[in-house]
Amino acid sequence: MTAINLNGSRRPIAAGQTLTDLVGEVTGQRIGADGHPVDGARLGVAVARNAEVVPRRYWSATVLADGDNVEIINAVQGG
């Protein structure tokens, strides 16, 4: 089984799964190739793969590999 570590927890992934696919699953939103929700809503997340931030424009080209460490960070309003 192929799996990644997502926010510290093991998660199985499908072969060829990209960061765009993963962010869509986690957020419940359809994400376009540009890394933004297709419905124009705000996303408010940042993604790091193996300790490096991945800009949204590269999410669709970033294929996940077995053992990758992925952090999805949600922006929270407050003070």
Side-chain angles (χ1 to χ4, degrees):
M1 169 175 55
T2 302
I4 60 169
N5 295 305
L6 174 62
N7 294 348
S9 297
R10 197 103 169 114
R11 180 186 179 107
I13 59 168
Q17 188 168 2
T18 66
L19 282 179
T20 297
D21 300 326
L22 181 64
V23 172
E25 288 176 15
V26 170
T27 64
Q29 295 181 297
R30 280 190 50 223
I31 308 297
D34 63 355
H36 295 279
V38 296
D39 65 2
R42 297 185 72 138
L43 189 55
V45 301
V47 179
R49 176 178 171 240
N50 300 326
E52 292 193 25
V53 174
V54 180
R56 289 176 189 239
R57 67 182 175 271
Y58 298 123
W59 289 359
S60 63
T62 303
V63 178
L64 297 168
D66 190 44
D68 277 350
N69 290 302
V70 178
E71 295 287 329
I72 298 178
I73 302 158
N74 291 304
V76 178
Q77 185 176 359

